[in-house]
Amino acid sequence: MGARTGAEYLRGLRERPREVWIHGERVLGDITEHPAFKNITRSVAALYDMQHDPSLRDAMTFVSPSSGERVGLSFIQPRSQDDLRRRSGMMKRWADYSGGFIGRSPDYLNAGLAAMAAASDYFARNDPRFGDNIKRYYEYVREHDLCLTHTLITPQVNRSAGPARQADPYIVARVVKETDAGIVVRGARMLATLGPIADEIEVFPSTVLKGTEEDAPYSFAFAIPCDTPGLKFLCRESFDYGRSHFDHPLGSRFEEMDAVVVFDDVLVPWERVFLYQDVQLCNGVFAETNAVVHMAHQVVVKNVAKTEFIFGIATSIADRIGIDGFQHVQEKLAELIMTLETMRAFLRAAEADAAVDRWGVMTPAWAPLNAARNLFPRLYPRMIEIIQQLGASGLMALPTEADIHGPIGPLIDRYLQGRNVDAYNRVKLFRLAWDASLSAFGARQVLYERFFFGDPVRMAGALYTSYPKEPYKERIQAFLDQVEQQETATSPVADGE
Ligand SMILES: Cc1cc2c(cc1C)N(C[C@H](O)[C@H](O)[C@H](O)COP(=O)(O)OP(=O)(O)OC[C@H]1O[C@@H](n3cnc4c(N)ncnc43)[C@H](O)[C@@H]1O)c1[nH]c(=O)[nH]c(=O)c1N2
Ligand SMILES: O=C(O)Cc1ccc(O)cc1
């Protein structure tokens, strides 16, 4: 019990084989040895191991209020700004490990779950048992340091109709029946990042349901182990092509995988149900519990780490091939600095203006985090464009490790050296830039940043509609009135001329 080591995380996956499909086959045997999952499971394990580095103990863990064990800091229910800063410090260490390329390190969902448990009264409004369920579940996950995945989105079949109005009412995961033991769920959800190698899956409300009776069977929040019978993970193709860390420095380590989740009459025990059939409570769960704020806190920490990493790549390219003196290159690098400082400022503002919410949790200020989560999906594709603009053909004149060590090695040494670096290290840098900006891994990162927190168009709409606009409109009206008064006061008629 308490914060796990990487070995304990890997053992947990081995002990609980789950139904995972990839490349036309079911993963049989040890998933931690499967080519698509071996490297990412080692990377997630490395995150857990950081919790046991004696020099990082206080930076990565805190003392559990229930067991007295040291548990992961992302599970903390912050009570002070200091707690928030400690949590973001911990999140930054995890994000730095992968340059922000493991978007779904477990801290993202841990922070959300901690907030939901603090807001257990919200779930109790649906049913008093659900309030106890979410609290108990949070403690269970925290004390066992489990790795969570989540799935919110309905299958992309026909977006012009709600879940009940699809070609088949069982496309979207819904409740088929209730038993004394729990609810039975049939249908599918999208898109569980890290799903096949998580311990548990949260199946939470997603798109805004209409609030009519027909949506009730689609309205629920629950969590179950990933090896629950009938639960299937349908993976996309792996972007870890089994190449060396030199050839694919990111894809060979941080390919976190995304999977469609199918529920083939899955029994969800009542003690794991947190919301059921109450459409309004389902629609409000992330906002009303402030879980979305705490998750956004992790996201902005990750954005800082990722922007630092991309800026590091871009400025290294500029230096290595001698383009750093050109004005337009400096302008592009300055753009990355602006993005970095913007993200840092959002994070700092959110922590500095944090306040205790109605659930008693010290909660980062939402306005800067909400602005950040709307802005970054627009800035990240531009960051990647800058890498492409600076790297140019160098992102394609890119031999592999085998070429460097093979018969053409001397040619590479001569023609692919940089201004101040040998060919080996120049190619190594450019392969990293390629993996961040052009490989399947890199392209998926752009898509991830565009969409993972929701459809950017609807997110922007929600930002606009929820933002307090009256004070600004009133100010403009007052300004216009003032102009009129001044005109009247200074006009010849008013002066009696
Ligand atoms: C790489 C990656 C990883 C993840 C995820 C996505 C991606 C790309 N997601 C899913 C993510 O939450 C999801 O992509 C967004 O919410 C958008 O939903 P759809 O992808 O279904 O697009 P959707 O089909 O809704 O939209 C497609 C297009 O249609 C437009 N559109 C659709 N409906 C509209 C409407 N009503 N009004 C206006 N425009 C509309 C959109 O603006 C968009 O341009 C996820 N989810 C999850 O639960 N867990 C996870 O771990 C992840 N991980
Ligand atoms: O749906 C929401 O309101 C917030 C949300 C979006 C994406 C996600 O991964 C978690 C929560």
Side-chain angles (χ1 to χ4, degrees):
M1 296 266 277
R4 284 192 298 179
T5 61
E8 285 167 333
Y9 158 70
L10 295 172
R11 191 182 324 132
L13 292 180
R14 284 187 201 112
E15 284 172 358
R16 305 194 69 158
R18 64 280 323 275
E19 186 172 341
V20 176
W21 292 85
I22 185 164
H23 305 154
E25 290 174 352
R26 183 168 174 182
V27 175
L28 296 171
D30 182 356
I31 195 166
T32 71
E33 292 300 327
H34 187 282
F37 301 105
K38 182 172 179 158
N39 288 320
I40 180 65
T41 52
R42 296 304 179 282
S43 294
V44 174
L47 299 181
Y48 283 115
D49 275 339
M50 285 164 78
Q51 303 185 127
H52 290 268
D53 177 339
S55 69
L56 296 179
R57 197 180 80 141
D58 289 333
M60 302 304 295
T61 61
F62 73 110
V63 176
S64 158
S66 61
S67 65
E69 298 276 347
R70 294 207 76 94
V71 292
L73 244 180
S74 56
F75 289 110
I76 198 167
Q77 292 176 321
R79 302 294 170 196
S80 64
Q81 285 180 333
D82 186 51
D83 284 348
L84 279 181
R85 291 200 185 94
R86 279 175 68 208
R87 181 174 76 177
S88 62
M90 173 264 148
M91 290 168 163
K92 182 71 170 29
R93 282 177 200 278
W94 270 10
D96 280 340
Y97 173 77
S98 67
F101 285 101
I102 302 180
R104 288 302 161 75
S105 46
D107 46 345
Y108 175 70
L109 291 174
N110 292 351
L113 180 60
M116 288 191 197
S120 61
D121 286 351
Y122 183 83
F123 300 84
R125 261 184 239 159
N126 192 171
D127 184 319
R129 290 174 302 167
F130 297 165
D132 294 335
N133 288 353
I134 192 83
K135 271 195 293 197
R136 263 201 307 269
Y137 184 64
Y138 157 68
E139 293 209 3
Y140 170 73
V141 174
R142 181 188 70 197
E143 297 301 315
H144 292 83
D145 203 8
L146 298 180
C147 176
L148 302 178
T149 182
H150 74 322
T151 180
L152 309 179
I153 301 301
T154 61
Q156 196 187 45
V157 174
N158 177 4
R159 287 286 183 247
S160 62
R165 299 287 169 103
Q166 300 291 312
D168 162 353
Y170 293 97
I171 290 175
V172 178
R174 59 171 280 170
V175 174
V176 189
K177 63 174 178 181
E178 290 177 24
T179 72
D180 289 346
I183 53 176
V184 176
V185 176
R186 182 186 304 165
R189 281 288 190 93
M190 292 168 32
L191 180 74
T193 300
L194 212 77
I197 54 159
D199 299 301
E200 297 254 338
I201 181 164
E202 291 182 338
V203 184
F204 269 62
S206 59
T207 42
V208 175
L209 299 161
K210 283 197 307 297
T212 57
E213 275 300 300
E214 69 177 17
D215 284 331
Y218 300 92
S219 310
F220 41 68
F222 63 81
I224 47 175
C226 289
D227 62 340
T228 301
L231 185 65
K232 302 168 198 290
F233 292 95
L234 316 186
C235 300
R236 59 165 166 75
E237 86 175 85
S238 172
F239 304 146
D240 178 354
Y241 298 123
R243 301 278 289 279
S244 70
H245 294 338
F246 180 96
D247 283 350
H248 291 185
L250 299 174
S252 71
R253 299 175 66 202
F254 310 132
E255 155 56 316
E256 58 189 350
M257 186 51 73
D258 309 290
V260 172
V261 184
V262 173
F263 300 82
D264 192 359
D265 287 4
V266 171
L267 174 67
V268 180
W270 283 116
E271 60 270 22
R272 290 302 194 86
V273 178
F274 312 129
L275 290 173
Y276 184 44
Q277 288 189 328
D278 188 320
V279 177
Q280 302 310 334
L281 287 177
C282 280
N283 278 339
V285 66
F286 282 102
E288 294 296 320
T289 63
N290 279 333
V292 68
V293 184
H294 293 275
M295 293 158 88
H297 191 212
Q298 187 270 358
V299 166
V300 181
V301 172
K302 180 269 298 167
N303 293 352
V304 170
K306 206 162 182 173
T307 309
E308 287 174 351
F309 198 82
I310 298 291
F311 174 63
I313 294 176
T315 193
S316 301
I317 287 176
D319 174 45
R320 293 314 199 191
I321 59 171
I323 57 171
D324 49 349
F326 300 125
Q327 217 171 24
H328 85 90
V329 173
Q330 292 178 354
E331 187 198 21
K332 291 179 172 72
L333 293 170
E335 211 178 313
L336 295 177
I337 296 171
M338 290 175 227
T339 299
L340 176 56
E341 291 302 327
T342 303
M343 287 301 135
R344 282 188 180 145
F346 280 138
L347 180 60
R348 198 179 163 110
E351 290 176 358
D353 295 345
V356 175
D357 71 0
R358 69 185 144 129
W359 311 111
V361 177
M362 179 59 76
T363 303
W366 180 227
L369 294 184
N370 202 11
R373 79 173 185 140
N374 274 275
L375 193 57
F376 200 70
R378 290 160 172 74
L379 298 179
Y380 188 75
R382 172 66 185 144
M383 288 161 60
I384 295 306
E385 186 181 35
I386 289 173
I387 295 282
Q388 293 184 5
Q389 287 170 324
L390 301 189
S393 66
L395 296 166
M396 286 292 121
L398 217 50
T400 63
E401 193 172 19
D403 293 310
I404 289 174
H405 297 305
I408 60 167
L411 299 178
I412 292 168
D413 284 346
R414 180 161 188 195
Y415 297 118
L416 291 179
Q417 59 185 298
R419 165 174 71 169
N420 51 14
V421 66
D422 62 25
Y424 179 86
N425 282 296
R426 181 183 167 284
V427 172
K428 199 172 176 186
L429 169 67
F430 272 74
R431 292 207 69 91
L432 174 62
W434 163 82
D435 217 2
S437 65
L438 282 159
S439 66
F441 177 92
R444 182 247 174 216
Q445 291 285 328
V446 173
L447 195 74
Y448 180 85
E449 294 299 350
R450 282 189 201 278
F451 281 109
F452 81 88
F453 228 149
D455 170 20
V457 177
R458 279 168 279 167
M459 264 167 52
L463 172 62
Y464 174 71
T465 46
S466 66
Y467 203 78
K469 294 172 281 289
E470 282 314 309
Y472 304 98
K473 289 198 273 185
E474 281 163 15
R475 217 163 95 190
I476 293 304
Q477 194 55 53
F479 182 86
L480 294 173
D481 293 346
Q482 204 185 26
V483 170
E484 211 163 77
Q485 278 163 13
Q486 276 174 354
E487 261 172 9
T488 317
T490 56
S491 74
V493 177
D495 287 348
E497 285 177 19

